[in-house]
Amino acid sequence: MGPPAPGTNVSVRGPAGAMIQVLYNDTYPAPMRVRTAERRVGTAGYLAAIPSPVNENTNFTIYLIDPDLDVSDDRDTNCGSPSLTQIDLQNCPTPVRVIGPDRNSTGTRVPGWVSTGLNILLQETAAHSGIFTGIQRITSSVPSIVQTDVLPAAEQGVDIIVTYQDASPPSLRSIKERVASVAVVTPGTLWLAEGASLPITVQDRDRSQLPLQVETVQVTAQTGSSAADYDSVTLNLTETGLDSSYFTGILPTSTQIKVPGTVSNTLSCRSGSIINISYWDANPTPATFRTARVRVSFVGQVAVTCEATHVWAACRAWPSALNLTVFDADLNSDPTVAELVPSALTVYREGSEELQTVNLLESGIAAVAFTGSLPVSKPALPDCDCGSCTPCTVPGCCARANDGTMIAGEGDVLEVVYHDASPEGYRIWRERVGTPGAVTFLTADPTGGRWPCTCACDQASLCSCGLPAVAGEVLVVSLADADLVAGSAAPSLAVAVTRDAGAAADVETLQLVAAGTAGGSFTGTLPTAATANYTTNNGVLELRGGDLIALTYADATPLSLCVTKLKSMVGSSVPSPLQFRGRLAVSPWPLLGEGDSVQVTVDDFDLDRSTGTADSRATYTDETMDFATVVEMSVCLPQPGGTCNPTGEKETLVLVETGLSTGRFTGEMRTNPRRGNTTALDGTYGGSIIVARYVDATDGLSLIVQAKVSEPASISLGHSTLAAGGPAVATVVDLDRVFVAASVPDPLRPPPQAGLTGPLGPEQIISLTESVSGSGYFTGALLSTPLADPSPLYAGLPYCRDSLRALAGVSRGGAVAARYLQSGPRTANWTASRVTTRMVGTVLLGWPRTGPSFLPGDILSVTVVDADRNADPLVAETIRGKTRAYGTGWACQAWFPGCSDISLADGTNLRVNCTGFPLQGSTCVPGPCSDGSCAGTDAEDLVLVENSRNSGVFTAALPTSPLSAAQVAGDGQIYAGEGTSVRVVYLDDDPPGGFGDAFARARGQPVLRALEVDDNSVFAYDEMLTLELTDADANTDACVRNSVPVQVSVFAQSSDSVAARTAQLSLLETGPSTGRFVLALLASGTVSAGSVTITQGNITGLTRSSRLLVSYANLATNRTAQLTAWSHPRGSLAQTIPLLVAGGTLQVTLTDYDLDAGPSNPSISNRFISVTTSKDGEVEPVALLRLASSPIPGYFVGLLPTRIDAQRGRDDSG
């Protein structure tokens, strides 16, 4: 290539720092010479600082690499001159500047600070090296005068900017140097609940090195002081945001000890252990570990005893003091001394304003038990003659708060409350002061009457009733004990019979049952009989003349034995004639088999007339008494209506005493299923009833016992053919079961069962229901389907799928078998089967969207499966006039009124209401169709087309529209409102009466409310608050109780925009498929601001006008609900004395913090209440005046004088 033409521009390229030379051959003047010129290609300067980060109050070195500044053979500077004495830093063409903060962390400004920073001179490390260095001193202080060589206010965590003005290529280079800061490890809490997760935060500005990347650090958590409980976990913490320098993570913990060799990110630690958290902080140098400690907290426990060595339940008398103990190692803050915890416990008496606070003292050095004592005094009534008790002048008489003594009597409820700081919560001990029980007898006197005899339980004395007990009478016992509240387990009494003041001859246990629902009252009965030989624990109290009966009730509170005694009326060991009631029994009973012999037993001491031998007949001289020695046996046949027609067969059975003076007589009667004239009981075939009759001469009453001869049960499947797709109805006839139910009533007896088996199996057990009570006919059904998998049948049904089983694979030509699961004297399994010949259509209802419901406006897909409609296999056929869609109305829940039942194809019912009437709150408004006459307000006929030839599957599209007032039947679309159901019915006439249906439900708007909130959205704290959500669409599984999450936020004041605490809580469904979800919360508060906590069952820290916000969102339906309420303190109204003497003065107190006459309520000085008498309805207003001197905010007191009024006349005189 030749030289370029004259005037042409030539481009020369070279790398940064390269030297470009231009050569020129100068011919004249001779001799020729080469003229040269050089130019270097500019190099971008590079800045660096070492060390990085730099420790506070030290130096750091600045490095600059830029060959462009190497301009001589000497050690150059960044300002170009090789001679340091000639440098002008202020006018340097390529200056290096260090820029620090303008003020320190306290706000003190740096004197003379300018944004351009301090100029620093860098010198080349060696000639032609192109590397320039300089040292910059930094200090965290702020001097009073300007220092040009020291950078002030360079505190920990501060960023220092170093800049370099590069001349070629022209640009401003900069780097950031950070002053190293000490890392801070912060656990989420210093007291961790056992098994809870621990949030950990590390703040380390030095580790946030990549400003455009979220970085991670690691901490180590260790626990345990021995090899057995040691555990260590390394946890990764993630930066909260770009260049935030805050790193967070969650450490899960567990109470389970790890198996050696296992690796887990969960730290094993138990209550009382210490979690040591360590973090390696590389800067400032030298590097060191930063640590934090967290104690795994104890759950405090409260124990109350009344004696030094007894628990509360074993208190033998009302105590003079309560011995209080709190077990909580968290209170042991100083392990070197026995600590005193002031006001650790608060003791309340329910129904009064009295409360006492108790100080606790640690039981030893580094102990977990803290103890205290509270004196207790019984109240003296009436009121110790101290009037209204304001002021009370009699010590130990009136209940006063924090006077060091608890006033409480029998029946009072005491509550000891311990506020456990960690884990946060209240530990409550609550017990009732014991009330002695009282036992009452209903005993018989010699004239036949009954007289009550009441004995109160008292350990110090025994109570004897003078009235005797009559052998053969039923002993009726009542127990009254206020300590046994409603729901308490029914107690039992020990009944012992002693003979001649000797050891117990007969011991029986009398189990009592609750009398009513209020609690505290129990009754029981115990039969008695005369005997010569006692038998214990046989359910009968056996007596001889002169016996002493002792009933013992073990009263748990207070612990005492209530012993009541009474004498037996029998005068001697050989009783006089006709004093004892007999008992008759037969065996087997109530059923026996054909040909079985019947054992007859009579217990009656009146028949025991011989002292030397066992009796077989009575020895009465009066011949009219001979019938008492035998038992009449007869046979009858049961008839409809419960009657039994005698067959005329009768036999007399002579009984023989089992031994000397036993009073028990037995005999055996043979039976003969055939009719005849034998000594056996003839004609006792299956279904007949054997009647045993014994006449007791004591009162002339007949004792009758019946036993039935068992007969086989039968089972059938109804018609000779079963329609495939229709219900398989099993009918069982079992008359034995009816007789047993009438003879031995048992409300818990399970229903009879049958097993149905289809072509694909397995056997499915169903329960049978008696068609008419006492008929012996029991039926049950299962739906059949030709489908191998019946689950699509129930895709849209609004009830539990587990109750909707079906016989799968039932098609033409198949078979279904039925088996009755029967047990009795002749146990047998009876089977029957029927061949299916016809197909009943099956309706499937689906929709494009997923889920158990649809949105109004969706197009539903209707499918009918019916092979019988496939008449021509060569064409796709059509079904007309057989399928109809109905707007069946609101699918009512259990709490909606006005619901009615409609029957479904499988025999079950669905509760619905009528169409077109909206919900008002949670009330279903039936409107003008409450009589059910308009169950199908909107009806549409559907035309179904076969999907493909010879498939037997027919489909149609059913458009839906939002519910409106103007519903038009027959317009081709179904109208559906929120919560309404759509029903599709298919009528199959082959076989006749065939039927199929399916359901779908429109999604509804959830309703969220709090039951205790008033019309002004206000609720009282220190009471229960019940959250209730109504959302049928949240019922995702109809077979179980579902749960839904809600977000609960508490704003300390109603005007606050930021919540003091937010938590997610779970509401539990009240029952399967109810769509109603509830959560009970104990809302606690204080008159002053406190720490707000929200847990699954508690909200604490509420104050007056705190705002509660509850939010719910159903993501599947995109529906939300919200509740806002405000908390206020609960007012309390009380009288100062429990017993008012006529003519005395009634004192009433009102405490309501909302009525506190402070700066915001200066005019609230009184309030009026009304007092009403219970008998004549007299009403008197009482003015309550605020006591300004009372330390209790909002405290009002009022007095109402009373007078004795013999005529009980109304007098509104005040």
Side-chain angles (χ1 to χ4, degrees):
M1 178 182 295
T8 303
N9 290 329
V10 178
S11 296
V12 179
R13 294 179 175 86
M19 185 69 71
I20 299 176
Q21 286 185 331
V22 180
L23 304 179
Y24 170 63
N25 292 327
D26 190 358
T27 306
Y28 300 100
M32 182 183 68
R33 292 188 179 185
V34 177
R35 312 293 184 184
T36 64
E38 295 180 346
R39 181 63 57 90
R40 186 186 299 273
V41 178
T43 302
Y46 174 76
L47 277 174
I50 297 177
S52 180
V54 59
N55 284 5
E56 191 179 35
N57 298 316
T58 58
N59 306 329
F60 67 94
T61 302
I62 301 174
Y63 286 81
L64 172 62
I65 302 175
D66 193 349
D68 297 345
L69 301 180
D70 181 20
V71 296
S72 70
D73 293 334
D74 201 351
R75 294 173 58 200
D76 299 313
T77 68
N78 63 300
C79 293
S81 173
S83 176
L84 297 180
T85 58
Q86 301 176 7
I87 294 175
D88 182 4
L89 285 177
Q90 299 303 321
N91 297 309
C92 180
T94 53
V96 175
R97 294 186 174 93
V98 180
I99 305 173
D102 66 335
R103 67 194 67 198
N104 63 6
S105 58
T106 63
T108 304
R109 293 187 61 86
V110 175
W113 184 88
V114 291
S115 59
T116 55
L118 301 177
N119 286 329
I120 183 173
L121 182 66
L122 306 184
Q123 188 171 17
E124 200 171 10
T125 58
H128 303 301
S129 67
I131 301 175
F132 301 80
T133 63
I135 296 176
Q136 177 65 58
R137 292 172 53 203
I138 62 173
T139 179
S140 59
S141 61
V142 176
S144 57
I145 59 175
V146 177
Q147 296 179 351
T148 58
D149 59 338
V150 179
L151 188 70
E155 299 173 323
Q156 290 188 15
V158 166
D159 289 332
I160 300 172
I161 307 299
V162 180
T163 66
Y164 163 58
Q165 186 65 52
D166 197 348
S168 177
S171 61
L172 182 66
R173 312 293 179 187
S174 65
I175 60 171
K176 183 185 295 184
E177 170 73 323
R178 179 170 295 161
V179 181
S181 58
V182 175
V184 179
V185 180
T186 307
T189 178
L190 298 180
W191 297 89
L192 182 68
E194 192 177 41
S197 296
L198 176 64
I200 300 176
T201 301
V202 168
Q203 181 188 6
D204 190 354
R205 183 71 176 161
D206 305 333
R207 290 298 297 272
S208 184
Q209 300 170 348
L210 304 174
L212 300 181
Q213 180 176 328
V214 174
E215 301 172 79
T216 61
V217 298
Q218 286 186 335
V219 296
T220 300
Q222 296 176 332
T223 187
S225 57
S226 64
D229 58 2
Y230 174 80
D231 193 19
S232 176
V233 169
T234 299
L235 180 67
N236 290 325
L237 308 184
T238 304
E239 198 170 12
T240 58
L242 297 178
D243 202 30
S244 70
S245 74
Y246 284 88
F247 302 83
T248 61
I250 303 294
L251 174 66
T253 70
S254 172
T255 59
Q256 300 297 322
I257 300 299
K258 288 183 182 177
V259 177
T262 60
V263 178
S264 172
N265 63 345
T266 300
L267 185 69
S268 297
C269 52
R270 296 184 177 182
S271 60
S273 59
I274 302 295
I275 300 176
N276 293 304
I277 306 168
S278 60
Y279 168 69
W280 181 250
D281 190 6
N283 290 286
T285 55
T288 186
F289 281 105
R290 310 298 176 186
T291 61
R293 288 164 53 94
V294 175
R295 179 187 289 272
V296 181
S297 62
F298 281 86
V299 177
Q301 296 180 352
V302 179
V304 180
T305 64
C306 58
E307 299 175 23
T309 58
H310 293 90
V311 297
W312 176 265
C315 292
R316 296 186 178 275
W318 177 230
S320 60
L322 296 179
N323 297 324
L324 308 171
T325 304
V326 168
F327 299 94
D328 193 349
D330 300 340
L331 297 178
N332 180 30
S333 57
D334 188 347
T336 62
V337 297
E339 300 169 80
L340 178 68
V341 183
S343 301
L345 293 177
T346 305
V347 184
Y348 301 89
R349 190 181 84 231
E350 190 174 87
S352 74
E353 295 183 359
E354 184 181 13
L355 63 87
Q356 305 291 335
T357 57
V358 181
N359 302 332
L360 298 181
L361 179 65
E362 195 172 6
S363 60
I365 304 298
V368 298
F370 294 76
T371 61
S373 182
L374 176 64
V376 179
S377 176
K378 283 188 178 181
L381 297 177
D383 198 26
C384 302
D385 296 325
C386 64
S388 63
C389 273
T390 307
C392 179
T393 58
V394 182
C397 170
C398 305
R400 294 177 295 185
N402 271 332
D403 62 353
T405 301
M406 173 62 68
I407 303 294
E410 294 174 347
D412 284 340
V413 176
L414 298 181
E415 189 172 89
V416 180
V417 179
Y418 167 59
H419 182 206
D420 195 348
S422 177
E424 171 73 22
Y426 289 94
R427 319 300 174 209
I428 299 175
W429 176 94
R430 186 176 185 273
E431 287 288 348
R432 181 187 299 273
V433 180
T435 301
V439 177
T440 299
F441 288 103
L442 287 178
T443 62
D445 68 1
T447 63
R450 285 185 177 271
W451 299 91
C453 173
T454 302
C455 296
C457 293
D458 187 354
Q459 186 184 16
S461 63
L462 300 180
C463 177
S464 297
C465 291
L467 297 176
V470 179
E473 287 280 353
V474 175
L475 193 62
V476 181
V477 181
S478 299
L479 170 67
D481 192 343
D483 298 333
L484 303 179
V485 297
S488 299
S492 60
L493 302 182
V495 185
V497 176
T498 56
R499 179 69 178 160
D500 298 329
D506 187 12
V507 177
E508 304 291 340
T509 299
L510 175 55
Q511 182 64 45
L512 305 182
V513 297
T517 59
S521 298
F522 301 85
T523 62
T525 58
L526 184 64
T528 66
T531 185
N533 299 303
Y534 300 98
T535 304
T536 62
N537 294 321
N538 64 349
V540 178
L541 191 66
E542 294 161 325
L543 302 173
R544 296 174 64 183
D547 284 350
L548 184 66
I549 305 173
L551 275 81
T552 302
Y553 165 57
D555 195 346
T557 52
L559 184 65
S560 60
L561 296 179
C562 176
V563 182
T564 305
K565 296 183 177 181
L566 68 163
K567 290 271 187 181
S568 170
M569 177 182 167
V570 181
S572 64
S573 60
V574 180
S576 58
L578 309 180
Q579 291 193 25
F580 305 102
R581 292 188 175 91
R583 291 186 299 168
L584 172 66
V586 298
S587 178
W589 179 87
L591 297 177
L592 70 154
E594 287 186 357
D596 289 349
S597 295
V598 180
Q599 300 292 329
V600 181
T601 301
V602 169
D603 289 307
D604 193 343
F605 272 87
D606 289 336
L607 302 182
D608 181 23
R609 307 310 303 158
S610 300
T611 58
T613 60
D615 295 305
S616 63
R617 287 181 176 272
T619 57
Y620 302 130
T621 57
D622 188 346
E623 294 298 324
T624 61
M625 310 304 291
D626 287 346
F627 64 85
T629 65
V630 297
V631 173
E632 179 188 83
M633 308 292 293
S634 61
V635 180
C636 66
L637 299 177
Q639 302 296 317
T643 61
C644 193
N645 288 346
T647 64
E649 172 67 12
K650 286 186 179 181
E651 298 290 344
T652 298
L653 178 63
V654 178
L655 306 181
V656 179
E657 195 172 13
T658 58
L660 180 62
S661 298
T662 63
R664 170 164 290 188
F665 297 78
T666 63
E668 180 180 278
M669 175 61 70
R670 295 181 299 106
T671 64
N672 178 22
R674 298 180 178 84
R675 292 188 178 275
N677 188 17
T678 67
T679 58
L681 202 59
D682 299 322
T684 53
Y685 51 83
S688 59
I689 294 178
I690 298 175
V691 182
R693 177 174 175 267
Y694 165 69
V695 180
D696 190 348
T698 300
D699 51 15
L701 295 178
S702 295
L703 303 180
I704 297 176
V705 176
Q706 294 182 343
K708 182 176 183 292
V709 181
S710 178
E711 57 184 314
S714 63
I715 184 171
S716 65
L717 280 171
H719 304 289
S720 59
T721 59
L722 170 68
V729 182
T731 301
V732 168
V733 180
D734 188 355
L735 300 179
D736 285 355
R737 187 178 182 89
V738 177
F739 185 82
V740 172
S743 303
V744 189
D746 182 4
L748 301 180
R749 179 179 287 112
Q753 293 181 323
L756 297 181
T757 306
L760 301 181
E763 182 183 51
Q764 300 192 52
I765 306 301
I766 62 173
S767 296
L768 307 178
T769 304
E770 196 169 13
S771 302
V772 178
S773 179
S775 67
Y777 283 74
F778 302 86
T779 60
L782 274 182
L783 189 68
S784 66
T785 174
L787 302 176
D789 178 13
S791 59
L793 289 174
Y794 316 118
L797 296 181
Y799 38 81
C800 179
R801 295 186 182 183
D802 285 354
S803 63
L804 296 175
R805 296 169 293 149
L807 296 173
V810 179
S811 58
R812 187 174 302 174
V816 173
R819 181 172 68 98
Y820 177 43
L821 283 64
Q822 176 197 29
S823 62
R826 284 173 168 74
T827 302
N829 293 327
W830 304 87
T831 60
S833 62
R834 296 292 183 268
V835 177
T836 60
T837 58
R838 295 293 184 186
M839 184 75 68
V840 171
T842 300
V843 183
L844 307 178
L845 185 57
W847 48 91
R849 299 177 185 269
T850 59
S853 54
F854 67 93
L855 289 175
D858 287 348
I859 298 178
L860 305 181
S861 176
V862 179
T863 302
V864 170
V865 181
D866 191 353
D868 293 339
R869 292 293 177 183
N870 182 31
D872 188 346
L874 300 179
V875 298
E877 299 172 84
T878 302
I879 300 178
R880 299 178 182 272
K882 300 294 182 182
T883 311
R884 174 167 290 193
Y886 296 94
T888 58
W890 300 95
C892 292
Q893 305 295 344
W895 64 91
F896 287 168
C899 292
S900 58
D901 289 345
I902 61 173
S903 297
L904 305 182
D906 63 347
T908 60
N909 292 331
L910 176 68
R911 298 185 67 80
V912 300
N913 213 319
C914 45
T915 304
F917 297 92
L919 287 173
Q920 293 182 358
S922 60
T923 303
C924 186
V925 183
C929 63
S930 58
D931 58 355
S933 59
C934 52
T937 305
D938 185 14
E940 304 294 334
D941 287 320
L942 303 179
V943 178
L944 295 97
V945 179
E946 195 171 15
N947 281 359
S948 59
R949 292 178 299 173
N950 202 32
S951 67
V953 179
F954 301 80
T955 60
L958 177 60
T960 65
S961 294
L963 192 66
S964 63
Q967 299 186 53
V968 180
D971 64 352
Q973 58 184 346
I974 206 76
Y975 294 89
E978 292 184 351
T980 62
S981 296
V982 172
R983 183 188 188 193
V984 176
V985 177
Y986 171 64
L987 301 178
D988 191 359
D989 52 8
D990 186 13
F995 177 86
D997 61 357
F999 284 85
R1001 179 171 45 82
R1003 297 175 181 171
Q1005 173 62 37
V1007 178
L1008 184 62
R1009 63 179 185 140
L1011 301 185
E1012 292 78 10
V1013 171
D1014 63 13
D1015 295 338
N1016 297 319
S1017 299
V1018 172
F1019 66 94
Y1021 60 68
D1022 292 334
E1023 291 185 350
M1024 296 304 297
L1025 180 67
T1026 306
L1027 302 181
E1028 179 189 77
L1029 170 70
T1030 304
D1031 186 4
D1033 296 317
N1035 178 35
T1036 55
D1037 188 341
C1039 303
V1040 300
R1041 296 171 66 188
N1042 299 272
S1043 62
V1044 296
V1046 296
Q1047 180 173 290
V1048 179
S1049 300
V1050 173
F1051 298 80
Q1053 297 296 324
S1054 58
S1055 59
D1056 290 351
S1057 59
V1058 178
R1061 185 77 64 185
T1062 297
Q1064 181 171 288
L1065 306 181
S1066 295
L1067 275 63
L1068 182 63
E1069 198 171 12
T1070 57
S1073 195
T1074 64
R1076 178 172 174 255
F1077 304 81
V1078 296
L1079 172 62
L1081 296 168
L1082 177 59
S1084 304
T1086 58
V1087 296
S1088 59
S1091 175
V1092 177
T1093 64
I1094 304 175
T1095 61
Q1096 185 62 24
N1098 294 275
I1099 298 179
T1100 64
L1102 298 174
T1103 61
R1104 183 167 63 177
S1105 298
S1106 291
R1107 178 160 52 98
L1108 177 70
L1109 177 63
V1110 185
S1111 303
Y1112 165 72
N1114 189 326
L1115 301 180
T1117 62
N1118 198 25
R1119 298 295 179 94
T1120 61
Q1122 198 171 76
L1123 163 70
T1124 302
W1126 286 264
S1127 66
H1128 279 250
R1130 175 184 61 182
S1132 63
L1133 188 67
Q1135 79 281 358
T1136 59
I1137 53 176
L1139 181 64
L1140 176 65
V1141 179
T1145 300
L1146 175 67
Q1147 177 175 332
V1148 182
T1149 62
L1150 170 67
T1151 304
D1152 192 344
Y1153 180 73
D1154 293 327
L1155 303 180
D1156 182 29
S1160 59
N1161 299 315
S1163 62
I1164 300 178
S1165 59
N1166 61 74
R1167 271 293 183 268
F1168 285 90
I1169 65 169
S1170 61
V1171 178
T1172 306
T1173 57
S1174 60
K1175 291 189 176 180
D1176 54 21
E1178 180 180 354
V1179 179
E1180 298 290 347
V1182 179
L1184 304 182
L1185 302 180
R1186 181 182 180 274
L1187 295 182
S1189 60
S1190 172
I1192 303 176
Y1195 187 73
F1196 297 77
V1197 176
L1199 301 176
L1200 177 64
T1202 67
R1203 69 183 182 186
I1204 301 177
D1205 186 357
Q1207 298 181 353
R1208 307 284 304 172
R1210 296 187 58 180
D1211 181 9
D1212 300 332
S1213 62

